[in-house]
Amino acid sequence: MSHQAERSPAIPWWQDRTPREIAALAAADGVALLPLAAIEQHGEHLPLSTDLDIALGLIDAALPRVREGLPVCVLPPLAVGLSLEHCAFAGTLSLSPETALAVIVELGECVAAAGFRRLVLFNSHGGNKALVDLAALKLRAALRMLVVRANYFRFAPPPDVLPADELRHGLHGGALETAMMLHLAPARVRMDRIAHFDSLGREMAREGRLLGPEGEAGFAWMAQDLNAGGATGDARLATPALGARLVEHYSGQLARLIEDAHAFDLARLADGPLDGAG
């Protein structure tokens, strides 16, 4: 699938519409979806486009599962995000935190100016998490619009799909991402470079530490802190069948989320401070 998803007939792209068609979607109380990704290293077995390929693949699989007739429109993906933690590796592209946040917020403002009041920020890159949270809050505060923070990797995975240790420590280029790439874009995976990429996080867990790269108490890390090659996790566990199962599951969650965003009662968003709020 890879970048072919950009022109998939299953995706109702914003840029394929005319002004009147966009206005009609807004008038129908439509949902706008903004894909957020990254162009960054994922070890030597996966391409720089991995996060973008996965985001577009999940959207492509999700939209046919959305209830027929539900008005939804997908904005052009933000392929480059905040990837400071990967900048030591050649090929990584990154905006500054300030620029990345401003871009998301200003695009959200354009969506609101077109008449939309429902926006899903669909993110496939861990480094964008803080941006998604802050941009959503800024847009809600300024424009009283529903802004959904959707990071696919925060969706609960299918049961028994991978060992708990891999789900916890395979943060980057591990079994999960490699499997989805084997399903979505197998020609782009360097099969001879797939390996088990151990990590500082797994080592700290073995030592019984509460502190780790992620989890209950995490520290700021650069990719090379966790593994010199920039990947973490056991990519050897990845198979195309596992990837198909993961895409089926995560795209189903995304479809459900789009429907929930459309069904949300906007009257639940308060106009101003609650009575008694200081």
Side-chain angles (χ1 to χ4, degrees):
M1 186 173 297
S2 189
H3 301 297
Q4 295 301 316
E6 293 184 18
R7 305 312 301 171
S8 168
I11 299 181
W13 289 109
W14 180 284
Q15 61 267 32
D16 290 342
R17 305 298 186 229
T18 69
R20 286 185 181 177
E21 290 169 353
I22 289 293
L25 281 169
D29 201 19
V31 177
L33 188 149
L34 175 60
L36 302 170
I39 301 298
E40 64 178 26
Q41 70 85 24
H42 279 73
E44 286 298 316
H45 62 301
L46 293 175
L48 298 168
S49 63
T50 292
D51 288 335
L52 180 60
D53 290 336
I54 289 173
L56 295 177
L58 292 177
I59 292 169
D60 192 46
L63 290 178
R65 304 173 68 176
V66 173
R67 176 176 57 80
E68 186 176 357
L70 190 152
V72 59
C73 199
V74 181
L75 289 139
L78 285 182
V80 177
L82 178 58
S83 296
L84 296 183
E85 69 273 27
H86 300 285
C87 280
F89 295 86
T92 294
L93 303 178
S94 182
L95 303 175
S96 70
E98 297 80 8
T99 299
L101 177 61
V103 168
I104 297 171
V105 171
E106 290 175 19
L107 284 175
E109 291 170 346
C110 291
V111 171
F116 286 82
R117 294 192 60 203
R118 305 173 190 271
L119 173 63
V120 175
L121 302 178
F122 182 61
N123 176 39
S124 61
H125 166 50
N128 288 337
K129 288 183 296 186
L131 295 176
V132 169
D133 290 346
L134 189 51
L137 184 57
K138 286 174 69 71
L139 290 167
R140 162 64 187 93
L143 300 170
R144 195 174 168 265
M145 66 189 303
L146 174 70
V147 185
V148 178
R149 303 167 298 172
N151 302 285
Y152 90 81
F153 44 83
R154 285 184 171 173
F155 296 167
D160 304 319
V161 69
L162 282 168
D165 183 74
E166 176 63 19
L167 289 172
R168 180 179 181 186
H169 299 294
L171 299 176
H172 197 67
L176 191 146
E177 286 185 312
T178 303
M180 286 197 284
M181 286 297 288
L182 285 172
H183 171 63
L184 294 170
R188 301 171 67 79
V189 180
R190 282 68 169 174
M191 299 296 296
D192 60 327
R193 300 174 191 173
I194 288 176
H196 179 201
F197 309 104
D198 206 355
S199 72
L200 176 61
R202 183 177 274 111
E203 178 182 334
M204 294 177 73
R206 286 195 294 260
E207 295 169 353
R209 309 287 184 186
L210 176 62
L211 178 64
E214 302 290 337
E216 297 90 338
F219 58 88
W221 50 267
M222 300 294 283
Q224 63 270 28
D225 297 335
L226 306 188
N227 180 285
T232 60
D234 192 352
R236 299 173 303 177
L237 300 174
T239 65
L242 172 60
R245 184 178 176 193
L246 289 167
V247 168
E248 174 77 8
H249 175 79
Y250 287 129
S251 65
Q253 295 292 86
L254 176 58
R256 178 181 172 187
L257 188 61
I258 292 170
E259 293 186 355
D260 283 352
H262 185 257
F264 183 85
D265 183 1
L266 294 174
R268 292 181 171 180
L269 299 179
D271 288 321
L274 299 176
D275 291 342

